[in-house]
């Protein structure tokens, strides 16, 4: 798991860097094209890129803790929505891991 | 020194010779004195009889007299049995005498026979008949009365011998005399040719010589015999003087013998005397004839001096004159002789009368003498007869008493027999009873013993069987135990292999897959549920991939610790990047102890990741992976996620190790269990 952490960081950083540069590039392009070489598209674009990368990074780091739900239609008495929570396989010790919510 | 040595040697030789000579001389002298010793020496030493014969003369001549003088006691028993024999054969028809004699003879162990004196004069054995058997049965016994009988016997023997000799000599003399007379008669009367005549005269002379020698011998023998008889008589008197009752019959027999000998001797002597007288007459006659012949010869020779003396040779040598002269002379001689004859006839009568008278006188004398001797003999006879009768009577008395005694004895024996019979019956009954009881006892004891033996045998067999069985079982159990031990050993080996393979991990890579080792373990314990369960309890991961060693885990943890420190603040709820940044900041600013000994019980403060990490580090450093894992297990959030696989690995390793240690312990226990303690 520690290697994954490192891998995550690598990915994250790489992604952020890419996004930032791409945003920067787009900003530059926009600034050059549309906005008469104003700096605000560059910073906007890099900011956008950076933000996206940060968000992705965070999401990537958060991903184990996210709870996913699946809608399962149960036939019979009425429609009941059952939400099953699928956890990360490594969190089998967590108490919040598997729980089903009946409604 | 040599001279001294040689003189010493000479001394030694001289001493030796002296000793030997002294010994031999002493032996000879002693043999001369003691005849028994001589006999012993002759028996034991070879050629000693030759030597002793040379020195002393033959053994038993004169031996008897000496023996008689020496041990007079020996004669008695011999006389006893001999006379018993005689008396038994002549007077007593009972078998007692002979029985007693046979008793005595059978009781006698040592037999030294005196040689029968009759063997020298076998021709005259007929005369010895009444007393030769007695002589032939002479035996020596060492008894008191036996000594006397022995001496008597010796005397008898000697006297008998002498008498025999005398008789023989007398007979020989008689023979010689008769021969001589015959020859003389022949010579004188027969008209035989001159050479025969000369031989006849020679024979006659020889006969005469014989006769003289025979007569001399007879004389000497007679003297000897008379001497012996006198000694015997004295011996008899002496033995009579001893007054031993058992001796009387011996004495009687001896006296009888003596009497017979004397009688025979006298008879022979008279014969000799008659022969001698006859020969005297014949010799006188021959003398006369010779004288006449001589005278005639003288006359003839006076007449015819040139003629030879022997008138037998005259024939063929005389002339007619001589013959005539001779015939005239012969006629004259004849006339003379006739005249003489007539004269002689006349004188003859007178002479005859005178000689008859003389003869009568002589006859008278001889008669008187003969009568005297006859009287003596008869007296002797009667006395002997009386004695015999007395002894007879005594014998009869003895016999009667014996009969009475025997009757008594018979009665006694009958009584004793009866008593014995009764006793025998009683004893037999007792004995039978005892025998019966003993037999019964023996039977029972035998049965008991046999039963015991059987029982013992059965017992032994049973024990042996049991032992055999036990041994078999022991062997089987041994085999089983061996098998078990082998299996346990195998198990142990496989477990050890497993253990070893568990230890054989490199620093960073896991061990080899434990599948094969586990398989080996499974194989070696396929009949043991516990081990099987344990073997199957090994985690799959360890089987397939192997487990990490503690060292590698430790190393990894050290690497992991930094990461955990960095993400300490991130958990499920706080998991933005800002949190990450804060967590990093904390990690950079917070310093905890590298290693800290964990407390016995964790409180809530101890659940701080940093604390936990230091505790876990300490545990790891001290080799306690389990506690470290436990502590690490307390991490929450992202830190937990980060150490998850380490924890898994650690858990795996711990699990495997636990199983293996269990297996090993089990294998050890089983091995110990199957080990045969000495």
């Amino acid at each position: 798991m520690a290697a994954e952490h490192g891998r995550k960081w690598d990915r994250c950083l790489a992604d952020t860097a890419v996004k930032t540069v791409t945003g920067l590039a787009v900003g530059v392009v926009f600034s050059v094209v549309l906005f008469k070489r104003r700096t605000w598209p560059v910073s906007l674009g890099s900011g956008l890129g950076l933000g996206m990368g940060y968000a992705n990074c965070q999401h990537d780091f958060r991903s184990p803790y996210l709870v996913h739900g699946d809608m399962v239609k149960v036939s019979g008495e009425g429609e009941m929505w059952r939400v099953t929570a699928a956890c990360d396989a490594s969190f089998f010790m967590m108490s919040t891991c598997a729980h089903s919510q009946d409604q | 020194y040599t001279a001294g040595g040689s003189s010493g040697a000479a001394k030694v030789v001289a001493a030796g010779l002296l000793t030997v000579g002294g010994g031999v001389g002493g032996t000879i002298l002693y043999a001369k004195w003691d005849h028994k010793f001589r006999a012993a020496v002759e028996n034991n030493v070879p050629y000693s009889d030759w030597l002793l014969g040379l020195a002393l003369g033959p053994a038993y001549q004169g031996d008897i007299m000496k023996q008689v003088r020496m041990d007079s006691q020996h004669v008695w028993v011999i006389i006893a049995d001999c006379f018993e024999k005689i008396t038994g054969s002549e007077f007593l028809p009972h078998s007692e005498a002979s029985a007693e004699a046979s008793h005595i003879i059978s009781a006698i162990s040592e037999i030294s026979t005196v040689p029968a004196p009759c063997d020298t004069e076998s021709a005259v054995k007929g005369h010895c008949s009444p007393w030769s058997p007695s002589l032939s049965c002479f035996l020596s016994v060492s008894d008191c009365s036996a000594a006397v009988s022995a001496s008597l016997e010796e005397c008898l023997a000697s006297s008998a011998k002498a008498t025999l000799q005398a008789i023989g000599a007398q007979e020989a003399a008689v023979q010689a005399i008769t021969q001589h007379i015959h020859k003389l008669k022949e010579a004188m009367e027969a008209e035989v040719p001159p050479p025969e005549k000369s031989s006849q005269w020679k024979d006659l002379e020889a006969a005469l010589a014989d006769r003289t020698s025979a007569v001399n011998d007879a004389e000497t023998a007679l003297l000897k015999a008379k001497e012996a008889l006198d000694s015997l008589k004295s011996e008899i008197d002496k033995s009579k003087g001893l007054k031993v009752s058992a001796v009387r019959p011996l004495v009687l027999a001896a006296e009888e013998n003596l009497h017979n000998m004397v009688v025979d001797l006298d008879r022979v002597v008279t014969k000799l005397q008659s022969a001698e007288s006859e020969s005297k007459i014949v010799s006188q006659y021959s003398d006369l004839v010779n004288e006449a012949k001589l005278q005639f010869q003288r006359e003839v020779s006076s007449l015819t001096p040139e003629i030879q003396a022997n008138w037998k040779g005259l024939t063929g040598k005389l002339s007619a004159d001589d013959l005539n002269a001779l015939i005239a002379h012969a006629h004259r001689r004849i006339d003379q002789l006739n005249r003489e004859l007539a004269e002689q006839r006349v004188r003859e009568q007178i002479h005859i009368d005178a000689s008859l008278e003389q003869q009568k006188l002589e006859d008278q004398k001889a008669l008187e003498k003969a009568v005297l001797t006859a009287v003596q003999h008869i007296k002797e006879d009667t006395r002997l007869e009386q004695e015999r009768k007395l002894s007879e009577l005594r014998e009869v008395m003895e016999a009667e008493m014996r009969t009475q005694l025997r009757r008594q004895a018979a009665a006694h024996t009958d009584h004793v027999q009866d008593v014995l019979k009764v006793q025998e019956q009683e004893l037999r009954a007792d004995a039978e009873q005892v025998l019966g009881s003993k037999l019964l006892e023996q039977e029972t004891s035998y049965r008991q013993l046999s039963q015991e033996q059987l029982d013992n045998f059965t017992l032994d067999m049973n024990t042996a069987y049991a032992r055999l069985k036990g041994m078999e079982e022991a062997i089987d159990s041994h085999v089983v135990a061996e098998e078990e031990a082998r299996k346990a050993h195998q198990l142990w080996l496989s477990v050890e292999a497993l253990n070893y393979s568990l230890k054989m991990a490199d620093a960073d890579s896991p061990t080899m897959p434990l599948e094969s080792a586990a398989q080996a373990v499974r194989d070696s314990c396929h009949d043991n549920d516990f081990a099987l369960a344990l073997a199957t309890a090994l985690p799959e991961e360890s089987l397939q991939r192997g487990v990490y060693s503690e060292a590698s885990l430790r190393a990894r943890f050290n690497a992991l610790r930094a990461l955990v420190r960095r993400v300490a603040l991130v958990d499920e709820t706080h998991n933005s990047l800002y949190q990450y940044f804060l967590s990093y900041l904390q990690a950079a600013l917070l310093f905890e102890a590298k290693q800290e000994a964990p407390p016995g019980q964790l409180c809530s403060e101890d659940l701080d990741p940093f604390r936990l990490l230091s505790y876990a580090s300490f545990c790891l450093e001290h080799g306690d992976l389990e506690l470290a894992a436990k502590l690490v297990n307390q991490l929450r959030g992202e830190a937990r996620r980060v150490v998850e696989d380490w924890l898994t690995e650690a858990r795996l390793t711990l699990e495997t190790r636990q199983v293996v240690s269990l297996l090993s312990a089990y294998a050890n226990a089983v091995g110990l269990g199957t080990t045969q303690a000495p």
Side-chain angles (χ1 to χ4, degrees):
Chain A
M1 269 303 169
E4 200 187 329
H5 194 85
R7 273 200 297 277
K8 264 187 187 163
W9 269 116
D10 289 342
R11 241 189 349 260
C12 177
L13 282 170
D15 188 44
T16 306
V18 163
K19 281 189 169 62
T20 308
V21 166
T22 309
L24 189 74
V26 167
V28 163
V29 164
F30 268 84
S31 122
V32 164
V33 169
L34 295 173
F35 299 104
K36 300 173 215 147
R37 302 233 179 124
R38 290 205 188 200
T39 51
W40 66 265
V42 174
S43 52
L44 184 77
S46 65
L48 274 172
L50 198 74
M52 278 197 289
Y54 184 92
N56 272 354
C57 202
Q58 194 172 277
H59 184 77
D60 198 12
F61 276 115
R62 260 192 194 162
S63 57
Y65 302 108
L66 286 175
V67 174
H68 303 283
D70 291 321
M71 299 281 273
V72 176
K73 224 185 194 175
V74 176
S75 65
E77 58 227 38
E79 286 182 348
M80 291 212 171
W81 302 97
R82 193 170 287 171
V83 176
T84 59
C87 291
D88 201 17
S90 58
F91 275 104
F92 64 90
M93 295 293 276
M94 300 282 286
S95 58
T96 59
C97 216
H99 70 275
S100 62
Q101 218 169 32
D102 288 338
Q103 194 178 4
Chain B
Y1 283 103
T2 51
S6 68
S7 79
K11 272 191 210 159
V12 165
V13 167
L17 280 172
L18 202 68
T19 314
V20 167
V24 169
T27 314
I28 290 174
L29 280 172
Y30 191 64
K32 189 169 182 178
W33 187 70
D34 183 6
H35 293 277
K36 276 196 171 165
F37 173 73
R38 182 181 172 155
V41 166
E42 280 177 8
N43 282 335
N44 291 323
V45 181
Y47 299 113
S48 59
D49 54 349
W50 172 78
L51 183 70
L52 288 168
L54 260 173
L56 306 173
Y60 57 82
Q61 275 186 11
D63 179 58
I64 295 161
M65 299 304 253
K66 287 184 192 151
Q67 282 283 57
V68 163
R69 281 184 204 120
M70 266 187 252
D71 42 10
S72 60
Q73 289 186 347
H74 285 250
V75 178
W76 287 110
V77 162
I78 291 146
I79 304 285
D81 61 15
C82 294
F83 290 172
E84 293 248 30
K85 262 199 175 178
I86 293 161
T87 50
S89 60
E90 288 184 2
F91 301 109
L92 291 175
H94 307 295
S95 59
E96 290 161 14
S98 57
E100 280 185 22
S102 60
H103 266 299
I104 288 162
I105 291 162
S106 64
I108 287 158
S109 56
E110 174 195 272
I111 299 171
S112 61
T113 58
V114 174
C118 291
D119 57 359
T120 52
E121 305 284 341
S122 55
V124 290
K125 226 184 182 117
H127 294 278
C128 317
S129 53
W131 30 278
S132 59
S134 66
L135 299 175
S136 63
C137 75
F138 286 167
L139 303 164
S140 69
V141 187
S142 59
D143 211 352
C144 173
S145 62
V148 177
S149 57
S151 68
L152 264 182
E153 172 259 322
E154 294 289 348
C155 249
L156 260 177
S158 66
S159 52
K161 195 167 127 190
T163 318
L164 275 170
Q165 272 181 348
I167 287 169
Q170 306 282 350
E171 292 280 326
V174 162
Q175 282 249 339
I177 291 168
T178 46
Q179 189 84 358
H180 179 241
I181 288 167
H182 184 72
K183 280 230 155 53
L184 199 61
K185 276 199 198 141
E186 242 184 47
M188 285 196 309
E189 289 166 9
E191 289 289 335
V192 292
E196 298 282 341
K197 205 77 175 178
S198 64
S199 68
Q200 240 183 13
W201 279 116
K202 281 204 189 82
D203 288 341
L204 190 66
E205 276 173 30
L208 180 65
D210 278 338
R211 177 220 160 133
T212 42
S213 71
V215 164
N216 288 339
D217 285 340
E219 287 278 314
T220 50
L222 183 68
L223 280 169
K224 260 200 239 173
K226 282 226 158 65
E227 207 182 279
L229 284 170
D230 286 335
S231 73
L232 177 63
K233 201 168 180 62
S234 67
E235 192 65 36
I236 287 170
D237 289 336
K238 195 171 74 175
S239 49
K240 260 202 256 187
L242 285 173
K243 293 208 186 296
V244 180
S245 64
V247 151
R248 226 173 276 129
L250 315 176
V251 169
L252 213 61
E255 279 178 347
E256 272 190 33
N257 273 339
L258 175 70
H259 175 65
N260 290 340
M261 281 191 257
V262 161
V263 160
D264 287 334
L265 208 61
D266 289 339
R267 202 176 343 124
V268 165
V269 162
T270 45
K271 256 207 281 188
L272 185 70
Q273 279 174 350
S274 62
E276 271 192 346
S277 59
E278 207 184 299
S279 78
K280 224 182 273 173
I281 292 168
V282 173
S283 65
Q284 272 178 2
Y285 173 65
S286 70
D287 285 338
L288 276 172
V289 166
N290 279 338
E291 208 187 298
K293 276 198 197 136
L294 278 168
Q295 192 167 1
F296 185 63
Q297 262 189 349
R298 255 184 268 126
E299 286 176 12
V300 168
S301 63
S302 68
L303 285 174
T304 56
E306 67 270 17
I307 299 168
Q308 294 175 19
N310 195 355
W311 54 270
K312 282 199 186 149
L314 288 171
T315 57
K317 285 202 179 170
L318 298 166
S319 59
D321 284 340
D322 290 328
L323 274 168
N324 287 335
L326 197 61
I327 287 167
H329 176 72
H331 276 299
R332 262 205 306 278
R333 190 78 180 129
I334 287 168
D335 288 333
Q336 189 198 358
L337 281 172
N338 280 334
R339 251 182 280 129
E340 266 189 22
L341 189 64
E343 217 181 279
Q344 202 65 28
R345 274 215 185 92
V346 167
R347 256 190 234 134
E348 185 194 328
Q349 198 62 40
I350 299 165
H351 283 163
I352 279 174
D353 289 337
S355 63
L356 266 173
E357 284 289 333
Q358 205 182 10
Q359 194 66 32
K360 253 192 218 146
L361 281 168
E362 274 183 11
D363 278 350
Q364 192 86 10
K365 266 190 238 155
L367 185 73
E368 275 177 17
K369 211 165 75 176
V371 161
L372 214 67
T373 48
V375 159
Q376 254 183 355
H377 285 166
I378 284 172
K379 256 198 227 167
E380 199 65 30
D381 265 339
T382 49
R383 193 184 63 84
L384 286 171
E385 186 82 28
Q386 190 192 16
E387 296 257 324
R388 214 180 294 124
K389 285 256 154 56
L390 262 173
S391 72
E392 216 180 293
L393 196 65
R394 214 172 279 126
E395 288 286 337
V396 166
M397 291 283 159
E398 278 282 329
E400 181 136 350
M401 182 134 84
R402 270 207 202 98
T403 348
Q404 297 298 336
L405 280 170
R406 218 177 299 120
R407 258 196 223 126
Q408 260 193 353
H412 179 69
T413 36
D414 282 339
H415 170 72
V416 163
Q417 248 179 5
D418 287 337
V419 167
L420 276 173
K421 230 174 247 165
V422 167
Q423 263 186 355
E424 191 197 326
Q425 299 279 0
E426 281 177 20
L427 283 170
R428 185 161 289 166
D430 278 338
E432 296 231 323
Q433 200 183 11
V434 166
L435 181 71
S437 71
K438 278 260 152 57
L439 269 173
L440 205 68
E441 231 177 78
Q442 282 296 99
E443 258 317 304
T444 48
S445 77
Y446 171 73
R447 273 210 204 94
Q448 225 177 7
L449 274 170
S450 66
Q451 193 61 38
E452 229 178 83
Q453 255 188 351
L454 267 170
D455 289 341
N456 280 348
F457 181 69
T458 322
L459 215 69
D460 288 338
M461 284 302 290
N462 283 343
T463 48
Y465 187 69
R467 277 179 69 189
L468 186 69
K469 273 272 168 267
M471 273 197 286
E472 274 181 8
E473 271 180 30
I475 290 166
D476 288 340
S477 71
H478 264 256
V479 164
V480 166
E482 286 272 331
E483 190 63 35
E484 290 286 310
R486 200 181 56 78
K487 275 201 213 138
H489 194 60
Q490 219 168 343
L491 178 66
W492 184 83
L493 279 172
S494 56
V495 164
E496 277 301 302
L498 191 59
N499 213 1
Y500 186 70
S501 61
L502 198 63
K503 287 195 181 81
M504 276 295 288
D506 291 337
D508 293 324
S509 57
T511 60
M512 65 183 85
L514 302 178
E515 178 61 39
S516 54
Q519 186 57 43
V521 170
R522 267 199 291 277
D523 289 338
S524 63
C525 68
H526 55 83
D527 58 347
N528 192 334
D529 294 335
F530 181 66
L532 207 61
L534 277 177
T536 48
L538 276 169
E540 204 51 43
E541 202 51 44
S542 70
L543 295 175
Q544 305 304 329
R545 193 211 56 187
V547 292
Y548 283 93
S549 66
E550 192 175 323
S552 68
L553 282 173
R554 192 163 54 235
R556 234 171 97 178
F557 184 76
N558 288 331
L560 211 61
R561 189 182 182 169
L563 188 60
V564 168
R565 284 179 83 250
R566 263 187 286 153
V567 297
L569 279 178
V570 179
D571 62 10
E572 302 90 17
T573 47
H574 309 101
N575 53 10
S576 62
L577 275 174
Y578 180 61
Q579 219 47 283
Y580 275 92
F581 168 72
L582 283 177
S583 163
Y584 278 34
L585 195 66
Q586 185 187 34
L589 294 175
L590 200 85
F591 295 102
E592 80 280 13
K594 267 271 172 181
Q595 286 157 20
E596 202 178 319
Q601 263 186 331
L602 284 175
C603 52
S604 57
E605 282 137 18
D606 291 325
L607 292 179
D608 182 40
F610 297 96
R611 275 266 184 85
L612 283 172
L613 280 173
S614 59
Y615 288 157
S617 182
F618 178 86
C619 291
L620 273 176
E621 285 306 309
H622 286 82
D624 193 353
L625 184 62
E626 194 181 335
L627 192 55
K630 278 186 197 160
L631 285 161
V632 164
N633 197 28
Q634 303 307 315
L635 286 169
R636 296 276 174 266
E638 186 65 27
R640 179 54 183 274
R641 272 193 66 240
V642 161
V643 300
E644 198 59 45
D645 48 351
W646 186 91
L647 205 58
T648 318
E649 290 297 322
R651 206 177 276 131
L652 213 64
T653 304
L654 281 169
E655 226 179 280
T656 314
R657 268 216 328 227
Q658 189 181 47
V659 168
V660 165
S661 74
L662 272 174
L663 271 172
S664 158
Y666 176 70
N668 280 340
V670 165
L672 271 176
T674 57
T675 311
Q676 310 279 332

